[in-house]
Amino acid sequence: MQAIAYNLQKGITVANSSTLRDIAEKAGVSVSTVSRVLNDQPGIGSKTRARVLAVAQELQFVPNAAARSLATKRTRNIGLVNYKWAVPSQFVASSLDSVGIDEECQRLGYHLLTTLVGEQAMKRNALQLPMVREERVDGLILAGPAIKPSFIIELYNSGLPVVLLDNRLRGTDIDCVLHENETGVYRVTQHLIQEHQHQVIAFLSGPDTWLSSRERAAGYHSALAEASLEPHLFLMPDTTVETGMKAMQTALIKIPDLTAVVAVNDAVAVGAMRACKAIGRSVPEQIAVVGFDNIGWSELHDPPLTTVHAFGEDMGRQAVRRLIELIESDPNQEHARLRLRVATRLIIRRSCGCD
Amino acid sequence: MQAIAYNLQKGITVANSSTLRDIAEKAGVSVSTVSRVLNDQPGIGSKTRARVLAVAQELQFVPNAAARSLATKRTRNIGLVNYKWAVPSQFVASSLDSVGIDEECQRLGYHLLTTLVGEQAMKRNALQLPMVREERVDGLILAGPAIKPSFIIELYNSGLPVVLLDNRLRGTDIDCVLHENETGVYRVTQHLIQEHQHQVIAFLSGPDTWLSSRERAAGYHSALAEASLEPHLFLMPDTTVETGMKAMQTALIKIPDLTAVVAVNDAVAVGAMRACKAIGRSVPEQIAVVGFDNIGWSELHDPPLTTVHAFGEDMGRQAVRRLIELIESDPNQEHARLRLRVATRLIIRRSCGCD
DNA sequence: AAATTATACGCAATCGCTTGCATAATATTA
DNA sequence: TAATATTATGCAAGCGATTGCGTATAATTT
């Protein structure tokens, strides 16, 4: 093995980055002038301004976050609160949100503090969240339907800007960004009905306390109602593959002539397909199955899953934009509540019967 | 729909949390005394101490992070740098690390700043990372094998505490925490040889620049050498399902009598199985396939994947512990480099031929 | 040219907490 | 009991920014 020569110089710690004072001295002006120049404030002569800017450039000045925060009461950090699923695979769908969130933060010069909250943590007061208590964030994105209403309310009432991701709170005007759940499921259900002439279609739904479940169920219902078909709804306590399997088993027993299933998400859909396979019913020949989310694995399944693509990355981006809007807006000035919807797209593959 | 009544009081913004001064006045002592009490420093009478503590409790005092940082030059934030995969599904395996990282941070009173760096960002100097430039973190966890050596070196040389997760840099003494890659793959390969009498076994490896790939390949090699079998190594530019499929196709053509494959990770293994299915070779009857990671879906695959379980959560936890150790240790005092290995576990399912 | 209004800039306080040093209070020793 | 060593506390100067207010210059108006 050949030794690799890196230019190691640990210990020669990087020089402390320069301060406003350094710039001020070198440019022969006062600290406050420098501050004003660097913050694009008016009232500074163009000549001075140029000189200061030049020196700042030369010294590679970067403002110290702590000092700035202390003076301005703003951190330029935002917090992302995710639910800590007991089952790790549940994280999959939301990981894409994070990508969008991260990118948009970077783009807008914000930093992202993340944290997971479990059932345990949600029993305590939300203001006990470390990042909130210690005033480390200017605002929060609360992601997913599993964050408890009381938790949300506590944060919202504290005055901290908050936006909900993939969730909403009835009776409040908390901003949120959501998938077009209803339309998405409506379309895929309609597809089953119109293209494949299914008559007996079940819906495997998540908890009724989750907005996305309710809305997706609504989409299912309206598609069925439109075709005068009878709905069959199955509620599950969560939306994992395992739960999907169980629900599907129940469904198959309770509805002998079942020919199609729309699942509240892809994980459940996969579970449903496994259940079918387990009792020897082929998908999609005997039972059609469709999902929601379009997670990576849905394409690789056999048969490939027909599903509704959720643009998680865009959702994340929108949430960040809105949150920063709230943060930077004048808190005294009333602003309209915003509910953003991000469109979905039908992804036709084979599990619906298409080929 | 029934209206839901929440106790909304937006605008009644939470009272600014109390400061040292508030406590000092109420307790009739000086600010510095309060500070000393709250930081458990010696030299304060037990009586005063008790009184201060009581008042602090009563006022629900929480120190302001910005002020504290400004004074101490420490943030109690650590940064997590992840590689921004082009293919979203690549995120899956590392998502578990994050859980451990987050938990351990919370436990130790630190906060987690996360960011994704893509190829683009890695071309710039690592010190340009926003969270580093603005001194928002006390240390960094650099996760995954795709972070460029030059990037790592730049950070390390700056004196910022750094620990590598699932990666290592030859010729440096940068701390890292790693899976027991070699042992893990050695075992699973041995299993194929000893329990299933395979003689022609290929290894589908990731880029040779990735430590985990090299080490896993080494495990494969030593198991084969031990049994005097001839190795067949296939290198891939990345480790997605798609790449795995392609690599497997090549392998099947180049080695007609191939009977088993060990994949550098589960995604690749899934790709390999798909390739087999595509040309009608059954797994495990005609070709055995095993993986590494034990991601959620590996159990659900048909056949269920035999693999090596990687304890990602523990890795993350260890990384945090070590990083904080570095952060809080005296920077002048030399400390030994640490390379932590987290053991793996063989998960026998059906894709190897067991039942 | 004197008076008035703008324009540029500096002074100094402030944000909330830490910490070296001085000093008052108490305990120890001779 | 006086002298000395301890212990407990306060003062005040930072840390690195922002910002209200005052003032010397320059520009404008009579």
Side-chain angles (χ1 to χ4, degrees), chain A residues 73-81 105 110-113 129 131-132 135-142 155 158-163 319-320 323-324 326-328:
Chain A
K73 306 252 166 234
R74 302 251 325 267
T75 61
R76 286 201 148 252
N77 286 148
I78 71 180
L80 172 59
V81 177
C105 279
Y110 274 72
H111 298 253
L112 187 62
L113 274 160
L129 266 185
M131 59 171 75
V132 174
E135 310 171 55
R136 282 174 197 262
V137 293
D138 296 337
L140 245 33
I141 293 178
L142 304 176
L155 290 165
S158 81
L160 195 67
V162 158
V163 358
V320 172
L323 180 57
I324 292 180
L326 292 179
I327 290 172
E328 299 186 345

Side-chain angles (χ1 to χ4, degrees), chain A residues 17 19 60 73 82 100 110 120 124 129 136 177 185 200 225 227 270 290 294 306 308 310 319:
Chain A
S17 76
T19 71
Q60 303 238 50
K73 306 252 166 234
N82 267 111
Y110 274 72
Q120 204 55 27
R124 272 179 278 137
L129 266 185
R136 282 174 197 262
V177 7
V185 172
V200 186
V270 169
V290 300
N294 194 25
T306 288
V308 178

Side-chain angles (χ1 to χ4, degrees), chain A residues 202-245:
Chain A
F203 184 75
L204 306 185
S205 184
D208 214 36
T209 51
W210 297 2
L211 178 76
S212 47
S213 292
R214 288 199 306 273
E215 291 188 340
R216 290 175 198 181
Y220 158 82
H221 276 121
S222 66
L224 259 62
E226 200 175 285
S228 311
L229 298 178
E230 184 195 351
H232 304 276
L233 192 80
F234 294 83
L235 257 65
M236 306 174 294
D238 57 50
T239 59
T240 63
V241 176
E242 288 70 25
T243 319
M245 272 188 69

Side-chain angles (χ1 to χ4, degrees), chain A residues 6-7 9 14 17 75 84 102-103 106 111-112 114-116 134-136 157-158 170 274 300, chain B residues 6-7 9 17 75 77 84 102-103 106 111-112 114-116 134-136 157-158 170 274 300:
Chain A
Y6 290 117
N7 179 26
Q9 6 179 297
V14 83
S17 76
T75 61
K84 188 192 287 176
D102 185 276
E103 281 182 349
Q106 292 194 24
H111 298 253
L112 187 62
T114 59
T115 195
L116 262 25
E134 301 176 16
E135 310 171 55
R136 282 174 197 262
N157 284 348
S158 81
R170 305 204 104 93
R274 287 177 63 73
L300 303 168
Chain B
Y6 289 116
N7 178 24
Q9 5 177 298
S17 74
T75 61
N77 285 150
K84 189 191 285 176
D102 185 274
E103 281 181 350
Q106 291 194 23
H111 298 253
L112 188 61
T114 60
T115 194
L116 261 25
E134 300 175 19
E135 310 170 54
R136 288 174 125 95
N157 284 348
S158 80
R170 303 205 102 94
R274 289 178 62 76
L300 304 168

Side-chain angles (χ1 to χ4, degrees), chain A residues 18-178:
Chain A
S18 50
T19 71
L20 282 195
R21 243 186 81 157
D22 299 333
I23 300 182
E25 284 173 4
K26 192 149 185 172
V29 295
S30 80
V31 173
S32 45
T33 301
V34 176
S35 172
R36 290 194 175 102
V37 170
L38 264 27
N39 289 331
D40 265 336
Q41 286 177 24
I44 303 291
S46 55
K47 202 125 186 223
T48 332
R49 180 173 297 262
R51 183 153 34 94
V52 169
L53 248 21
V55 176
Q57 180 79 43
E58 181 189 345
L59 260 42
Q60 303 238 50
F61 173 78
V62 178
N64 176 281
R68 190 190 269 248
S69 293
L70 184 54
T72 59
K73 306 252 166 234
R74 302 251 325 267
T75 61
R76 286 201 148 252
N77 286 148
I78 71 180
L80 172 59
V81 177
N82 267 111
Y83 181 73
K84 188 192 287 176
W85 296 104
V87 183
S89 60
Q90 291 270 80
F91 284 104
V92 175
S94 68
S95 81
L96 270 199
D97 300 355
S98 302
V99 176
I101 291 175
D102 185 276
E103 281 182 349
E104 199 67 6
C105 279
Q106 292 194 24
R107 210 173 66 77
L108 299 174
Y110 274 72
H111 298 253
L112 187 62
L113 274 160
T114 59
T115 195
L116 262 25
V117 299
E119 288 299 328
Q120 204 55 27
M122 277 202 281
K123 285 196 184 115
R124 272 179 278 137
N125 186 292
L127 302 180
Q128 294 305 311
L129 266 185
M131 59 171 75
V132 174
R133 275 180 20 129
E134 301 176 16
E135 310 171 55
R136 282 174 197 262
V137 293
D138 296 337
L140 245 33
I141 293 178
L142 304 176
I147 307 288
K148 298 230 180 318
S150 62
F151 204 76
I152 299 173
I153 296 287
E154 283 160 2
L155 290 165
Y156 182 69
N157 284 348
S158 81
L160 195 67
V162 158
V163 358
L164 269 29
L165 190 54
D166 194 14
N167 196 5
R168 198 192 62 192
L169 207 49
R170 305 204 104 93
T172 75
D173 55 350
I174 304 180
D175 297 270
C176 54
V177 7
L178 304 160

